[in-house]
Amino acid sequence: MIEAFLQHLKLERGLSANTLGAYCVDLADFVTAVGVGDLRTTTPAHVATYVASLGRRGRKPASVARKLSALRHLFELLKESGRVKESPIESYPTRKL
């Protein structure tokens, strides 16, 4: 699912290799931090747990914002494609930097 998402970003949005690499790392970090095997089962509680873990790990606001942006884009695509009904990150507030 993540591979298809990254391919979509590369082909449809023309993102650079560096941005795609950062998104890949961010999404893998999310999966590892919250322990979801299937991203379609992600809940808002998973997102909150992840953000809390980023704070405990001392991540800067800009890094947290980028990680949440990767998640937002992933779940937007999953919702558009009908793989999820609701995005678990939709209700999560966007942080102002």
Side-chain angles (χ1 to χ4, degrees), residues 24-42:
C24 184
V25 168
D26 293 342
L27 296 170
D29 183 53
F30 173 76
V31 169
T32 301
V34 300
V36 292
D38 183 345
L39 288 168
R40 294 173 295 182
T41 64
T42 302

Side-chain angles (χ1 to χ4, degrees), residues 3-16 20:
E3 250 335 286
F5 168 66
L6 294 173
Q7 189 67 13
H8 167 79
L9 292 178
K10 179 180 179 183
L11 296 175
E12 299 295 322
R13 297 192 183 173
L15 296 183
S16 72
L20 293 171

Side-chain angles (χ1 to χ4, degrees), residues 29-30 33 49-60 67:
D29 183 53
F30 173 76
T49 297
Y50 181 56
V51 172
S53 79
L54 294 172
R56 286 191 302 276
R57 292 187 275 162
R59 298 298 185 256
K60 295 185 181 198
K67 290 173 185 298

Side-chain angles (χ1 to χ4, degrees), residues 1 12-13 29 36 58 64 85 87-89 91 96:
M1 208 172 296
E12 299 295 322
R13 297 192 183 173
D29 183 53
V36 292
V64 173
K85 289 183 181 181
S87 169
I89 197 166
S91 61
K96 302 283 185 198

